[in-house]
């Protein structure tokens, strides 16, 4: 770090003086640095995927307009990550009067403490510096948040120690918002904030004054206010007071990934799949696609609450659990490679059920049963993508002739290959998944099992807990959590 001025006099004589003009607000600072980044062709929010043509342009417009803004979206849409990344648009270092609780500007102090320091010491007034990461303050709104937490309160002990009247500004113990002065202040889940606290916010935003315990304090803070909220809560009557809505400059809607490919990119970026431990972990593309398809199908499922949404954290957690189950199997089988299979998706049920808010119909069925049906539907969707129009009749006939195959979750790759080889023509079809004969046993086993699971999802073959995969005609009843076999139709005949 370069040598920075340590007194007010040194600051006035340095190159920092121009950038520290009192009339350069935080919003001006964000705007100027954003323009520089855009002209340089830099990516503004690296790691935020899927918003380049939708959310990011609106955020850019809000910053260029010097607006306070709110991000509206259901859970797991990177709202908090996005607003936290706005600190990258601040100057790397910012000077303030040393000892000031509200980061007083050296050339235009707001607090009584700052004014007294400059008046007493002049150019010898000590200057401190704060990094941009420390200029971001975030608060999760909850009903128990008080005006003292947000704005401040009178501190009688401080008044007694300083020998000041209790109505003096110097006796105030500042809350979070004044301490975010000359920075960014973010409130998550704004509708949960009590109405009287919201009044305090819009007074700061517009008039620049606050009242603490009935004592008026003129405090024109320089702060960017950012909010997040669920759109259903936001539009509910009485959740956000009208004057505060009116003072929020821009309302920006976030969304889930528009395509499976974008979802996979996010999940791959966020999920912890590169792990130490001596086991080589490889996740086939068709497994990644199936994991992502679970989230997409769940978001359209009528048994799942649309208002709560299905967070992008669901596929991230599921993929991590799937990889963990494959890793555990490799460790127990003394293998050096772990490749997830469809059976590992069912082992990941605990990472799904807690992330879905069910409607009444879903509650009647049960979270685990709904999750199992989502996995089956996701396998069926991805299977159709790879095998639409393919001739899989030879595999189906093996089971129609009375064949059965029970694959245990903990079976090692080599032993599983021996079992799967009994199904005539099965390994010939793994090429459609990008898995050829030269691949490892673990990859070939995962691909072959996926084909069988896909045929089961399309009701070409059956599966039970006791016998495993078998022909449709051998079924004597409904398996737990399974539906009755459907008659053949045109969609099924395309796989003949």
């Amino acid at each position: 770090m370069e040598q920075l001025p340590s007194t007010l006099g040194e600051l006035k004589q340095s190159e920092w003086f121009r950038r520290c003009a009192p009339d350069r607000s935080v919003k001006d600072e964000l705007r100027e640095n954003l323009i520089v980044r855009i002209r340089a062709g830099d990516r503004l929010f690296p790691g935020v995927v899927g918003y380049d043509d939708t959310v990011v342009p609106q955020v850019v417009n809000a910053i260029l307009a010097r607006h306070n803004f709110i991000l509206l979206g259901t859970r797991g849409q990177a709202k908090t990550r996005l607003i936290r990344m706005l600190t990258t648009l601040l100057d790397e270092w910012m000077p303030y009067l040393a000892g000031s609780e509200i980061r007083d500007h050296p050339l235009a102090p707001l607090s009584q403490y700052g004014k007294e320091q400059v008046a007493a010491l002049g150019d010898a007034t000590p200057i401190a510096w704060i990094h941009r990461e420390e200029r971001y303050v975030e608060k999760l709104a909850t009903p128990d948040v008080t005006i003292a937490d947000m704005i401040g309160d009178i501190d009688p002990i401080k008044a007694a120690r300083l020998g000041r009247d209790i109505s003096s500004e110097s006796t105030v113990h500042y809350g979070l918002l004044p301490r975010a002065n000359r920075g960014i202040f973010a409130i998550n889940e704004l509708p949960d904030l009590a109405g009287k606290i919201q009044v305090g916010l819009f007074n700061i935003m517009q008039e620049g004054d606050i009242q603490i315990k009935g004592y008026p304090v003129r405090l024109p803070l320089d702060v960017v206010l950012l909010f997040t909220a669920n759109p259903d809560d936001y539009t509910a009557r009485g959740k956000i007071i009208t004057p505060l809505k009116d003072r929020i400059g821009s309302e920006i809607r976030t969304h889930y990934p528009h395509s499976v490919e974008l979802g996979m990119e996010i999940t791959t970026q966020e999920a912890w799949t590169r792990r130490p431990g001596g086991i080589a972990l490889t996740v086939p593309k068709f497994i990644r696609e199936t994991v992502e398809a679970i989230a997409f199908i769940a978001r359209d499922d009528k048994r799942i609450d649309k208002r709560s949404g299905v967070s992008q954290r669901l596929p991230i957690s599921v993929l991590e659990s799937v990889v963990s189950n494959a890793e555990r199997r490799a460790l127990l089988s003394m293998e050096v490679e772990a490749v997830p299979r469809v059976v590992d998706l069912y082992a990941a049920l605990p990472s799904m059920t807690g992330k879905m808010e069910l409607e009444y119909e879903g509650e009647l069925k049960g979270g685990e049963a709904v999750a199992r049906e989502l996995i089956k539907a996701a396998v069926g969707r991805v299977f159709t993508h790879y095998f639409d129009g393919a001739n899989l009749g030879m595999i189906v006939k093996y089971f129609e002739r009375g064949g059965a195959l029970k694959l245990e979750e903990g079976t090692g790759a080599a032993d599983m290959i021996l079992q799967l080889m009994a199904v005539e023509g099965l390994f010939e079809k793994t090429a459609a998944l990008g898995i050829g004969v030269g691949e490892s046993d673990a990859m070939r086993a995962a691909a072959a099992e996926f084909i069988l699971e896909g045929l089961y999802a399309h009701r070409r073959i059956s599966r039970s807990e006791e016998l495993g995969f078998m022909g449709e005609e051998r079924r004597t009843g409904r398996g737990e959590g399974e539906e009755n076999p459907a008659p053949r139709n045109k969609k099924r005949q395309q796989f003949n």
Side-chain angles (χ1 to χ4, degrees):
M1 176 177 153
E2 61 181 294
Q3 186 65 35
L4 298 173
S6 59
T7 65
L8 181 57
E10 291 178 8
L11 180 67
K12 291 178 179 178
Q13 299 301 318
S14 72
E15 61 181 22
W16 287 89
F17 183 71
R18 181 191 63 81
R19 302 177 69 181
C20 295
D23 59 348
R24 183 178 183 250
S25 67
V26 180
K27 292 177 180 178
D28 292 325
E29 182 182 340
L30 289 172
R31 174 186 161 85
E32 291 172 14
N33 291 332
L34 174 64
I35 290 172
V36 171
R37 293 273 295 275
I38 292 175
R39 285 176 173 166
D42 296 340
R43 187 170 183 186
L44 299 178
F45 305 108
V48 176
V49 178
Y51 286 168
D52 290 347
D53 300 321
T54 54
V55 176
V56 169
Q58 295 180 47
V59 172
V60 169
N61 290 344
I63 296 172
L64 291 176
R66 304 195 308 178
H67 283 174
N68 300 308
F69 62 86
I70 183 168
L71 294 179
L72 296 182
T74 50
R75 58 187 180 182
Q77 293 184 352
K79 299 187 296 295
T80 303
R81 168 176 287 197
L82 187 58
I83 60 177
R84 286 178 179 176
M85 294 185 75
L86 291 180
T87 57
T88 62
L89 298 177
L90 296 170
D91 294 341
E92 185 174 7
W93 294 98
M94 182 192 76
Y96 68 100
L97 293 180
S100 170
E101 294 181 82
I102 63 170
R103 306 169 184 169
D104 272 305
H105 194 296
L107 303 176
L110 287 181
S111 69
Q112 186 173 339
Y113 166 84
K115 293 172 183 176
E116 291 175 351
Q117 282 287 97
V118 173
L121 301 176
D123 285 352
T125 305
I127 299 296
W129 294 81
I130 185 170
H131 191 262
R132 59 187 169 201
E133 296 292 337
E134 299 177 79
R135 295 172 63 190
Y136 175 85
V137 178
E138 181 179 298
K139 177 63 177 175
L140 175 63
T142 54
D144 62 336
V145 173
T146 66
I147 197 71
D149 297 331
M150 298 294 288
I151 307 298
D153 203 352
I154 299 296
D155 187 347
I157 297 177
K158 192 174 183 181
R161 180 168 51 83
L162 295 175
R164 300 287 181 92
D165 187 272
I166 200 167
S167 64
S168 170
E169 181 191 331
S170 60
T171 65
V172 174
H173 175 78
Y174 292 109
L176 288 171
L177 186 51
R179 291 175 187 274
N181 184 40
R182 302 177 68 208
I184 297 171
F185 185 65
I187 300 178
N188 282 322
E189 307 302 335
L190 177 62
D192 292 334
L193 206 60
K196 64 179 181 180
I197 315 299
Q198 295 183 36
V199 171
L201 288 179
F202 78 71
N203 240 28
I204 286 286
M205 293 168 69
Q206 195 74 21
E207 286 78 21
D209 63 344
I210 57 176
Q211 283 193 1
I212 299 177
K213 298 290 188 184
Y215 299 108
V217 178
R218 184 69 182 170
L219 206 65
L221 297 177
D222 178 18
V223 65
V224 177
L225 285 171
L226 306 177
F227 309 97
T228 71
N230 184 294
D232 288 286
D233 292 337
Y234 180 74
T235 55
R237 184 175 180 181
K239 286 289 186 176
I240 299 182
I241 61 174
T242 303
L244 181 56
K245 288 183 185 179
D246 188 52
R247 284 163 173 78
I248 297 174
S250 296
E251 177 183 288
I252 301 170
R253 296 257 176 174
T254 58
H255 55 81
Y256 289 123
H258 288 153
S259 68
V260 170
E261 289 72 24
L262 280 175
M264 287 171 60
E265 186 177 345
I266 296 171
T267 301
T268 300
Q269 173 183 281
E270 300 298 324
W272 183 50
T273 55
R274 295 183 179 180
R275 306 181 179 184
I279 301 293
L281 294 167
T282 307
V283 185
K285 183 182 178 183
F286 56 86
I287 292 293
R288 292 184 184 274
E289 290 173 332
T290 304
V291 168
E292 209 61 44
I294 292 171
F296 273 75
I297 294 171
R299 288 168 190 149
D300 292 330
D301 196 300
K302 64 182 180 180
R303 297 168 297 183
I304 296 173
D305 186 4
K306 300 292 186 298
R307 292 167 299 178
S308 296
V310 177
S311 168
Q312 191 61 27
R313 298 184 189 95
L314 184 143
I316 293 169
S317 296
V318 168
L319 184 59
E320 290 174 339
S321 296
V322 164
V323 167
S324 294
N325 204 58
E327 186 179 22
R328 179 174 63 88
R329 180 174 54 248
L331 290 169
L332 293 173
S333 303
M334 305 299 288
E335 296 176 335
V336 296
E337 182 183 20
V339 177
R341 309 169 187 165
V342 174
V343 69
D344 299 322
L345 289 171
Y346 291 97
L349 287 174
S351 62
M352 293 178 58
T353 52
K355 292 180 172 57
M356 299 183 299
E357 296 291 334
L358 300 178
E359 298 282 13
Y360 179 69
E361 183 182 349
E363 292 286 0
L364 288 178
K365 197 168 189 69
E368 185 170 320
V370 171
R372 285 182 177 276
E373 291 181 9
L374 290 174
I375 293 172
K376 182 179 177 181
V379 171
R381 179 178 293 187
V382 177
F383 180 84
T384 300
H385 171 71
Y386 283 99
F387 293 98
D388 189 10
N391 183 0
L392 302 174
M394 186 179 298
I395 300 172
V396 175
K397 286 178 181 177
Y398 168 82
F399 295 100
E400 289 178 345
R401 291 195 299 263
L405 185 63
K406 184 171 176 59
L407 302 175
E408 299 289 348
E409 176 190 326
T411 304
D415 292 336
M416 190 171 175
I417 289 289
L418 292 176
Q419 291 179 262
L420 291 166
M421 287 181 68
V423 184
E424 188 176 356
L426 178 57
F427 284 104
E428 296 175 9
K429 301 301 180 182
T430 61
L433 297 169
I435 309 299
V437 293
E439 295 284 354
S440 66
D441 285 350
M443 288 292 284
R444 295 174 67 213
E449 187 210 31
F450 179 81
I451 293 173
L452 297 181
E453 287 283 350
L455 290 171
Y456 162 65
H458 283 278
R459 299 182 183 177
R460 297 298 312 284
I461 61 177
S462 298
R463 191 185 68 189
S464 71
E465 295 295 330
E466 297 79 17
L467 300 176
F469 294 104
M470 58 185 174
E472 283 282 347
E473 66 279 0
R474 291 191 59 186
R475 294 191 66 169
T476 57
R478 184 185 302 182
E480 183 179 353
E482 299 173 358
E483 298 177 359
N484 285 326
R488 289 176 177 260
N489 54 34
K490 291 182 179 180
K491 184 175 180 180
R492 295 176 59 206
Q493 287 173 355
Q494 69 184 344
F495 298 104
N496 286 334

